[in-house]
mmCIF file of all heavy atoms in Angstrom:
data_model
loop_
_atom_site.group_PDB
_atom_site.id
_atom_site.type_symbol
_atom_site.label_atom_id
_atom_site.label_comp_id
_atom_site.label_asym_id
_atom_site.label_seq_id
_atom_site.Cartn_x
_atom_site.Cartn_y
_atom_site.Cartn_z
ATOM 1 N N ALA A 1 -6.077 -60.953 0.409
ATOM 2 C CA ALA A 1 -5.623 -62.354 0.192
ATOM 3 C C ALA A 1 -4.607 -62.860 1.161
ATOM 4 O O ALA A 1 -4.632 -64.032 1.510
ATOM 5 C CB ALA A 1 -5.102 -62.463 -1.284
ATOM 6 N N LEU A 2 -3.707 -62.049 1.533
ATOM 7 C CA LEU A 2 -2.700 -62.458 2.485
ATOM 8 C C LEU A 2 -3.281 -62.704 3.854
ATOM 9 O O LEU A 2 -2.977 -63.730 4.619
ATOM 10 C CB LEU A 2 -1.636 -61.297 2.607
ATOM 11 C CG LEU A 2 -0.683 -61.280 1.554
ATOM 12 C CD1 LEU A 2 0.264 -60.070 1.754
ATOM 13 C CD2 LEU A 2 0.190 -62.471 1.262
ATOM 14 N N LYS A 3 -4.366 -61.924 4.249
ATOM 15 C CA LYS A 3 -4.959 -62.120 5.498
ATOM 16 C C LYS A 3 -5.813 -63.408 5.473
ATOM 17 O O LYS A 3 -5.816 -64.171 6.454
ATOM 18 C CB LYS A 3 -5.969 -60.899 5.715
ATOM 19 C CG LYS A 3 -5.278 -59.579 6.102
ATOM 20 C CD LYS A 3 -6.292 -58.581 6.368
ATOM 21 C CE LYS A 3 -5.588 -57.330 6.827
ATOM 22 N NZ LYS A 3 -6.585 -56.158 7.064
ATOM 23 N N ILE A 4 -6.428 -63.650 4.404
ATOM 24 C CA ILE A 4 -7.086 -64.896 4.237
ATOM 25 C C ILE A 4 -6.269 -66.099 4.220
ATOM 26 O O ILE A 4 -6.417 -67.175 4.959
ATOM 27 C CB ILE A 4 -7.916 -64.976 2.847
ATOM 28 C CG1 ILE A 4 -8.950 -63.910 2.943
ATOM 29 C CG2 ILE A 4 -8.520 -66.451 2.618
ATOM 30 C CD1 ILE A 4 -9.914 -63.729 1.685
ATOM 31 N N LEU A 5 -5.019 -66.022 3.645
ATOM 32 C CA LEU A 5 -4.105 -67.136 3.724
ATOM 33 C C LEU A 5 -3.611 -67.252 5.106
ATOM 34 O O LEU A 5 -3.330 -68.358 5.608
ATOM 35 C CB LEU A 5 -2.981 -66.705 2.615
ATOM 36 C CG LEU A 5 -1.733 -67.715 2.661
ATOM 37 C CD1 LEU A 5 -2.307 -69.100 2.277
ATOM 38 C CD2 LEU A 5 -0.776 -67.183 1.671
ATOM 39 N N ALA A 6 -3.295 -66.177 5.745
ATOM 40 C CA ALA A 6 -2.899 -66.270 7.160
ATOM 41 C C ALA A 6 -3.883 -66.867 8.065
ATOM 42 O O ALA A 6 -3.525 -67.710 8.888
ATOM 43 C CB ALA A 6 -2.477 -64.851 7.704
ATOM 44 N N LEU A 7 -5.117 -66.641 7.848
ATOM 45 C CA LEU A 7 -6.207 -67.257 8.556
ATOM 46 C C LEU A 7 -6.185 -68.721 8.328
ATOM 47 O O LEU A 7 -6.372 -69.565 9.283
ATOM 48 C CB LEU A 7 -7.526 -66.605 8.246
ATOM 49 C CG LEU A 7 -8.813 -67.084 9.052
ATOM 50 C CD1 LEU A 7 -8.559 -66.960 10.579
ATOM 51 C CD2 LEU A 7 -9.993 -66.350 8.569
ATOM 52 N N ILE A 8 -6.170 -69.155 7.104
ATOM 53 C CA ILE A 8 -6.183 -70.562 6.714
ATOM 54 C C ILE A 8 -5.032 -71.262 7.445
ATOM 55 O O ILE A 8 -5.165 -72.391 7.968
ATOM 56 C CB ILE A 8 -6.089 -70.757 5.233
ATOM 57 C CG1 ILE A 8 -7.393 -70.135 4.567
ATOM 58 C CG2 ILE A 8 -5.905 -72.233 4.843
ATOM 59 C CD1 ILE A 8 -7.342 -70.211 3.041
ATOM 60 N N VAL A 9 -3.694 -70.672 7.343
ATOM 61 C CA VAL A 9 -2.674 -71.307 7.963
ATOM 62 C C VAL A 9 -2.726 -71.426 9.520
ATOM 63 O O VAL A 9 -2.564 -72.486 10.087
ATOM 64 C CB VAL A 9 -1.368 -70.542 7.635
ATOM 65 C CG1 VAL A 9 -0.212 -71.056 8.544
ATOM 66 C CG2 VAL A 9 -0.939 -70.569 6.200
ATOM 67 N N LEU A 10 -3.344 -70.400 10.090
ATOM 68 C CA LEU A 10 -3.713 -70.488 11.613
ATOM 69 C C LEU A 10 -4.549 -71.433 11.911
ATOM 70 O O LEU A 10 -4.452 -72.291 12.969
ATOM 71 C CB LEU A 10 -4.133 -69.005 11.992
ATOM 72 C CG LEU A 10 -4.484 -68.930 13.565
ATOM 73 C CD1 LEU A 10 -3.138 -69.130 14.385
ATOM 74 C CD2 LEU A 10 -5.055 -67.574 13.788
ATOM 75 N N VAL A 11 -5.657 -71.585 11.178
ATOM 76 C CA VAL A 11 -6.714 -72.665 11.434
ATOM 77 C C VAL A 11 -5.998 -74.009 11.289
ATOM 78 O O VAL A 11 -6.226 -74.926 12.146
ATOM 79 C CB VAL A 11 -7.868 -72.538 10.469
ATOM 80 C CG1 VAL A 11 -8.825 -73.729 10.526
ATOM 81 C CG2 VAL A 11 -8.613 -71.275 10.886
ATOM 82 N N ALA A 12 -5.298 -74.067 10.275
ATOM 83 C CA ALA A 12 -4.565 -75.528 9.960
ATOM 84 C C ALA A 12 -3.708 -75.854 11.213
ATOM 85 O O ALA A 12 -3.511 -77.073 11.495
ATOM 86 C CB ALA A 12 -3.807 -75.458 8.701
ATOM 87 N N LEU A 13 -3.016 -74.794 11.692
ATOM 88 C CA LEU A 13 -2.021 -75.076 12.777
ATOM 89 C C LEU A 13 -2.834 -75.521 14.060
ATOM 90 O O LEU A 13 -2.322 -76.255 15.009
ATOM 91 C CB LEU A 13 -1.222 -73.855 12.991
ATOM 92 C CG LEU A 13 -0.099 -73.689 12.062
ATOM 93 C CD1 LEU A 13 0.572 -72.244 12.271
ATOM 94 C CD2 LEU A 13 0.891 -74.687 11.912
ATOM 95 N N LEU A 14 -4.052 -74.838 14.255
ATOM 96 C CA LEU A 14 -4.772 -75.149 15.530
ATOM 97 C C LEU A 14 -5.629 -76.355 15.491
ATOM 98 O O LEU A 14 -5.878 -76.937 16.543
ATOM 99 C CB LEU A 14 -5.707 -73.917 15.677
ATOM 100 C CG LEU A 14 -4.938 -72.544 16.150
ATOM 101 C CD1 LEU A 14 -6.077 -71.444 16.216
ATOM 102 C CD2 LEU A 14 -4.267 -72.693 17.414
ATOM 103 N N VAL A 15 -5.950 -76.904 14.332
ATOM 104 C CA VAL A 15 -6.786 -78.148 14.167
ATOM 105 C C VAL A 15 -6.213 -79.191 15.067
ATOM 106 O O VAL A 15 -7.019 -79.799 15.801
ATOM 107 C CB VAL A 15 -6.931 -78.456 12.703
ATOM 108 C CG1 VAL A 15 -7.455 -79.878 12.693
ATOM 109 C CG2 VAL A 15 -8.067 -77.520 12.122
ATOM 110 N N PRO A 16 -4.892 -79.584 15.009
ATOM 111 C CA PRO A 16 -4.459 -80.785 15.800
ATOM 112 C C PRO A 16 -4.702 -80.512 17.289
ATOM 113 O O PRO A 16 -4.976 -81.441 17.956
ATOM 114 C CB PRO A 16 -3.006 -80.818 15.536
ATOM 115 C CG PRO A 16 -2.886 -80.148 14.121
ATOM 116 C CD PRO A 16 -3.880 -79.111 14.050
ATOM 117 N N TYR A 17 -4.546 -79.219 17.706
ATOM 118 C CA TYR A 17 -4.746 -78.961 19.209
ATOM 119 C C TYR A 17 -6.120 -79.295 19.719
ATOM 120 O O TYR A 17 -6.405 -79.493 20.709
ATOM 121 C CB TYR A 17 -4.187 -77.595 19.546
ATOM 122 C CG TYR A 17 -2.643 -77.518 19.293
ATOM 123 C CD1 TYR A 17 -2.198 -77.200 18.135
ATOM 124 C CD2 TYR A 17 -1.808 -77.692 20.489
ATOM 125 C CE1 TYR A 17 -0.670 -77.132 18.010
ATOM 126 C CE2 TYR A 17 -0.416 -77.616 20.274
ATOM 127 C CZ TYR A 17 0.039 -77.342 19.012
ATOM 128 O OH TYR A 17 1.372 -77.242 18.827
ATOM 129 N N VAL A 18 -7.076 -78.926 18.640
ATOM 130 C CA VAL A 18 -8.510 -79.031 19.053
ATOM 131 C C VAL A 18 -8.830 -80.477 19.031
ATOM 132 O O VAL A 18 -9.587 -81.037 19.870
ATOM 133 C CB VAL A 18 -9.339 -78.287 17.953
ATOM 134 C CG1 VAL A 18 -10.876 -78.590 18.221
ATOM 135 C CG2 VAL A 18 -9.069 -76.744 18.159
ATOM 136 N N LEU A 19 -8.372 -81.360 18.020
ATOM 137 C CA LEU A 19 -8.728 -82.692 17.898
ATOM 138 C C LEU A 19 -8.024 -83.566 18.917
ATOM 139 O O LEU A 19 -8.571 -84.562 19.328
ATOM 140 C CB LEU A 19 -8.249 -83.098 16.491
ATOM 141 C CG LEU A 19 -8.957 -82.501 15.283
ATOM 142 C CD1 LEU A 19 -8.459 -83.222 13.915
ATOM 143 C CD2 LEU A 19 -10.447 -82.914 15.420
ATOM 144 N N ALA A 20 -6.855 -83.283 19.405
ATOM 145 C CA ALA A 20 -6.132 -84.204 20.230
ATOM 146 C C ALA A 20 -6.825 -84.694 21.420
ATOM 147 O O ALA A 20 -6.903 -85.927 21.789
ATOM 148 C CB ALA A 20 -4.742 -83.616 20.627
ATOM 149 N N PRO A 21 -7.573 -83.872 22.178
ATOM 150 C CA PRO A 21 -8.308 -84.306 23.295
ATOM 151 C C PRO A 21 -9.371 -85.360 23.016
ATOM 152 O O PRO A 21 -9.789 -86.254 23.818
ATOM 153 C CB PRO A 21 -8.967 -82.978 23.937
ATOM 154 C CG PRO A 21 -8.094 -81.885 23.422
ATOM 155 C CD PRO A 21 -7.621 -82.335 22.062
ATOM 156 N N PHE A 22 -9.934 -85.238 21.765
ATOM 157 C CA PHE A 22 -11.046 -86.256 21.382
ATOM 158 C C PHE A 22 -10.505 -87.607 20.996
ATOM 159 O O PHE A 22 -11.219 -88.613 20.907
ATOM 160 C CB PHE A 22 -11.713 -85.681 20.060
ATOM 161 C CG PHE A 22 -12.576 -84.397 20.441
ATOM 162 C CD1 PHE A 22 -12.064 -83.146 20.205
ATOM 163 C CD2 PHE A 22 -13.863 -84.397 20.985
ATOM 164 C CE1 PHE A 22 -12.744 -81.941 20.423
ATOM 165 C CE2 PHE A 22 -14.677 -83.260 21.268
ATOM 166 C CZ PHE A 22 -14.025 -82.018 20.923
ATOM 167 N N TYR A 23 -9.179 -87.644 21.017
ATOM 168 C CA TYR A 23 -8.663 -88.910 20.551
ATOM 169 C C TYR A 23 -8.368 -89.899 21.880
ATOM 170 O O TYR A 23 -7.750 -90.859 21.829
ATOM 171 C CB TYR A 23 -7.251 -88.700 19.888
ATOM 172 C CG TYR A 23 -7.377 -88.377 18.518
ATOM 173 C CD1 TYR A 23 -6.392 -87.788 17.808
ATOM 174 C CD2 TYR A 23 -8.538 -88.539 17.890
ATOM 175 C CE1 TYR A 23 -6.435 -87.453 16.375
ATOM 176 C CE2 TYR A 23 -8.739 -88.104 16.503
ATOM 177 C CZ TYR A 23 -7.661 -87.603 15.800
ATOM 178 O OH TYR A 23 -7.743 -87.224 14.474
ATOM 179 N N ARG A 24 -9.013 -89.457 22.920
ATOM 180 C CA ARG A 24 -9.103 -90.341 24.105
ATOM 181 C C ARG A 24 -9.864 -91.679 23.718
ATOM 182 O O ARG A 24 -9.614 -92.601 24.483
ATOM 183 C CB ARG A 24 -9.722 -89.632 25.368
ATOM 184 C CG ARG A 24 -8.863 -88.603 26.004
ATOM 185 C CD ARG A 24 -9.559 -87.950 27.172
ATOM 186 N NE ARG A 24 -8.601 -87.220 27.992
ATOM 187 C CZ ARG A 24 -8.012 -87.651 29.080
ATOM 188 N NH1 ARG A 24 -8.274 -88.923 29.510
ATOM 189 N NH2 ARG A 24 -7.296 -86.954 29.726
ATOM 190 N N THR A 25 -10.785 -91.420 22.768
ATOM 191 C CA THR A 25 -11.607 -92.755 22.418
ATOM 192 C C THR A 25 -11.483 -92.768 20.832
ATOM 193 O O THR A 25 -10.992 -91.909 20.082
ATOM 194 C CB THR A 25 -12.968 -92.664 22.866
ATOM 195 O OG1 THR A 25 -13.490 -91.343 22.265
ATOM 196 C CG2 THR A 25 -13.069 -92.600 24.312
ATOM 197 N N GLY A 26 -12.018 -93.719 20.334
ATOM 198 C CA GLY A 26 -12.063 -94.002 18.862
ATOM 199 C C GLY A 26 -10.899 -94.627 18.347
ATOM 200 O O GLY A 26 -9.918 -95.044 19.047
ATOM 201 N N HIS A 27 -10.847 -94.808 16.962
ATOM 202 C CA HIS A 27 -9.740 -95.480 16.208
ATOM 203 C C HIS A 27 -9.150 -94.607 15.152
ATOM 204 O O HIS A 27 -9.477 -94.670 14.008
ATOM 205 C CB HIS A 27 -10.371 -96.660 15.505
ATOM 206 C CG HIS A 27 -10.908 -97.700 16.579
ATOM 207 N ND1 HIS A 27 -11.776 -98.772 16.012
ATOM 208 C CD2 HIS A 27 -10.783 -97.802 17.892
ATOM 209 C CE1 HIS A 27 -12.093 -99.514 17.135
ATOM 210 N NE2 HIS A 27 -11.571 -98.969 18.233
ATOM 211 N N PRO A 28 -8.343 -93.612 15.653
ATOM 212 C CA PRO A 28 -7.825 -92.560 14.685
ATOM 213 C C PRO A 28 -6.870 -93.175 13.612
ATOM 214 O O PRO A 28 -6.295 -94.335 13.957
ATOM 215 C CB PRO A 28 -7.007 -91.624 15.600
ATOM 216 C CG PRO A 28 -6.741 -92.502 16.861
ATOM 217 C CD PRO A 28 -7.781 -93.393 16.964
ATOM 218 N N VAL A 29 -6.858 -92.628 12.533
ATOM 219 C CA VAL A 29 -5.808 -93.025 11.446
ATOM 220 C C VAL A 29 -4.788 -91.999 11.276
ATOM 221 O O VAL A 29 -4.946 -90.897 11.558
ATOM 222 C CB VAL A 29 -6.646 -93.267 10.098
ATOM 223 C CG1 VAL A 29 -7.640 -94.318 10.290
ATOM 224 C CG2 VAL A 29 -7.287 -91.984 9.690
ATOM 225 N N SER A 30 -3.700 -92.409 10.567
ATOM 226 C CA SER A 30 -2.566 -91.522 10.290
ATOM 227 C C SER A 30 -2.667 -90.856 9.140
ATOM 228 O O SER A 30 -3.609 -91.161 8.164
ATOM 229 C CB SER A 30 -1.251 -92.366 10.325
ATOM 230 O OG SER A 30 -1.191 -93.195 9.090
ATOM 231 N N THR A 31 -1.962 -89.765 8.845
ATOM 232 C CA THR A 31 -1.990 -89.055 7.586
ATOM 233 C C THR A 31 -1.512 -89.911 6.461
ATOM 234 O O THR A 31 -1.962 -89.824 5.371
ATOM 235 C CB THR A 31 -1.215 -87.684 7.747
ATOM 236 O OG1 THR A 31 0.201 -87.988 8.086
ATOM 237 C CG2 THR A 31 -1.844 -86.644 8.701
ATOM 238 N N LEU A 32 -0.665 -90.834 6.786
ATOM 239 C CA LEU A 32 0.024 -91.573 5.709
ATOM 240 C C LEU A 32 -1.000 -92.532 5.190
ATOM 241 O O LEU A 32 -1.240 -92.975 4.071
ATOM 242 C CB LEU A 32 1.233 -92.389 6.160
ATOM 243 C CG LEU A 32 1.988 -93.289 5.226
ATOM 244 C CD1 LEU A 32 2.269 -92.603 3.893
ATOM 245 C CD2 LEU A 32 3.136 -93.887 5.846
ATOM 246 N N MET A 33 -1.808 -93.164 6.317
ATOM 247 C CA MET A 33 -2.880 -94.022 5.857
ATOM 248 C C MET A 33 -3.898 -93.311 4.914
ATOM 249 O O MET A 33 -4.524 -93.873 3.941
ATOM 250 C CB MET A 33 -3.546 -94.496 7.133
ATOM 251 C CG MET A 33 -2.727 -95.522 7.996
ATOM 252 S SD MET A 33 -3.379 -95.880 9.653
ATOM 253 C CE MET A 33 -4.889 -96.770 9.214
ATOM 254 N N LEU A 34 -4.259 -92.093 5.229
ATOM 255 C CA LEU A 34 -5.288 -91.276 4.671
ATOM 256 C C LEU A 34 -4.648 -91.070 3.184
ATOM 257 O O LEU A 34 -5.402 -91.143 2.080
ATOM 258 C CB LEU A 34 -5.526 -89.962 5.148
ATOM 259 C CG LEU A 34 -6.443 -90.098 6.512
ATOM 260 C CD1 LEU A 34 -6.555 -88.756 7.117
ATOM 261 C CD2 LEU A 34 -7.898 -90.713 6.215
ATOM 262 N N TRP A 35 -3.414 -90.751 3.051
ATOM 263 C CA TRP A 35 -2.903 -90.451 1.742
ATOM 264 C C TRP A 35 -2.792 -91.728 0.893
ATOM 265 O O TRP A 35 -3.162 -91.595 -0.330
ATOM 266 C CB TRP A 35 -1.331 -89.987 1.969
ATOM 267 C CG TRP A 35 -0.606 -89.744 0.661
ATOM 268 C CD1 TRP A 35 0.354 -90.428 0.087
ATOM 269 C CD2 TRP A 35 -0.945 -88.651 -0.334
ATOM 270 N NE1 TRP A 35 0.792 -89.979 -1.070
ATOM 271 C CE2 TRP A 35 -0.079 -88.877 -1.384
ATOM 272 C CE3 TRP A 35 -1.826 -87.610 -0.353
ATOM 273 C CZ2 TRP A 35 -0.019 -88.061 -2.603
ATOM 274 C CZ3 TRP A 35 -1.938 -86.892 -1.529
ATOM 275 C CH2 TRP A 35 -0.945 -87.051 -2.560
ATOM 276 N N ARG A 36 -2.559 -92.776 1.426
ATOM 277 C CA ARG A 36 -2.510 -94.055 0.676
ATOM 278 C C ARG A 36 -3.899 -94.391 0.235
ATOM 279 O O ARG A 36 -4.072 -94.786 -0.981
ATOM 280 C CB ARG A 36 -1.897 -95.220 1.450
ATOM 281 C CG ARG A 36 -0.394 -95.096 1.757
ATOM 282 C CD ARG A 36 0.004 -96.302 2.626
ATOM 283 N NE ARG A 36 -0.126 -97.600 1.787
ATOM 284 C CZ ARG A 36 0.707 -98.155 0.955
ATOM 285 N NH1 ARG A 36 1.858 -97.583 0.721
ATOM 286 N NH2 ARG A 36 0.459 -99.241 0.340
ATOM 287 N N GLN A 37 -4.917 -94.131 1.014
ATOM 288 C CA GLN A 37 -6.259 -94.414 0.584
ATOM 289 C C GLN A 37 -6.723 -93.469 -0.552
ATOM 290 O O GLN A 37 -7.394 -93.886 -1.519
ATOM 291 C CB GLN A 37 -7.274 -94.283 1.826
ATOM 292 C CG GLN A 37 -7.007 -95.394 2.838
ATOM 293 C CD GLN A 37 -7.798 -95.148 4.048
ATOM 294 O OE1 GLN A 37 -8.250 -94.016 4.438
ATOM 295 N NE2 GLN A 37 -8.235 -96.109 4.732
ATOM 296 N N LEU A 38 -6.361 -92.195 -0.390
ATOM 297 C CA LEU A 38 -6.708 -91.250 -1.457
ATOM 298 C C LEU A 38 -6.038 -91.550 -2.738
ATOM 299 O O LEU A 38 -6.473 -91.259 -3.827
ATOM 300 C CB LEU A 38 -6.370 -89.837 -0.955
ATOM 301 C CG LEU A 38 -7.222 -89.255 0.122
ATOM 302 C CD1 LEU A 38 -6.622 -87.962 0.658
ATOM 303 C CD2 LEU A 38 -8.633 -89.117 -0.316
ATOM 304 N N SER A 39 -4.788 -92.028 -2.686
ATOM 305 C CA SER A 39 -3.963 -92.430 -3.917
ATOM 306 C C SER A 39 -4.381 -93.753 -4.433
ATOM 307 O O SER A 39 -3.770 -94.093 -5.459
ATOM 308 C CB SER A 39 -2.477 -92.145 -3.660
ATOM 309 O OG SER A 39 -2.124 -93.079 -2.704
ATOM 310 N N GLY A 40 -5.159 -94.502 -3.716
ATOM 311 C CA GLY A 40 -5.548 -95.883 -4.264
ATOM 312 C C GLY A 40 -4.549 -96.893 -3.794
ATOM 313 O O GLY A 40 -4.727 -98.092 -4.305
ATOM 314 N N ALA A 41 -3.580 -96.594 -3.006
ATOM 315 C CA ALA A 41 -2.667 -97.610 -2.471
ATOM 316 C C ALA A 41 -3.342 -98.562 -1.421
ATOM 317 O O ALA A 41 -4.243 -98.058 -0.682
ATOM 318 C CB ALA A 41 -1.414 -96.993 -1.946
ATOM 319 N N PRO A 42 -2.983 -99.766 -1.310
ATOM 320 C CA PRO A 42 -3.571 -100.593 -0.224
ATOM 321 C C PRO A 42 -3.231 -100.194 1.164
ATOM 322 O O PRO A 42 -2.193 -99.776 1.371
ATOM 323 C CB PRO A 42 -2.988 -102.128 -0.493
ATOM 324 C CG PRO A 42 -1.675 -101.700 -1.184
ATOM 325 C CD PRO A 42 -1.858 -100.507 -2.024
#
């Protein structure tokens, strides 16, 4: 379970580094925008 948890944390830490180069184009949104949308806030 600890190994799985460590793997999940590692993947979460690496995701931004993988995504960042793709943000040369497109219309990215912030985590706060996503949170507000998920919580029903305008």
Side-chain angles (χ1 to χ4, degrees):
L2 287 176
K3 289 182 179 179
I4 293 174
L5 179 60
L7 181 60
I8 292 173
V9 171
L10 179 61
V11 170
L13 292 174
L14 290 177
V15 163
Y17 293 89
V18 174
L19 290 179
F22 292 97
Y23 284 162
R24 283 178 170 267
T25 60
H27 300 165
V29 298
S30 69
T31 55
L32 181 56
M33 293 167 68
L34 290 173
W35 174 252
R36 288 182 64 91
Q37 289 173 335
L38 289 173
S39 63

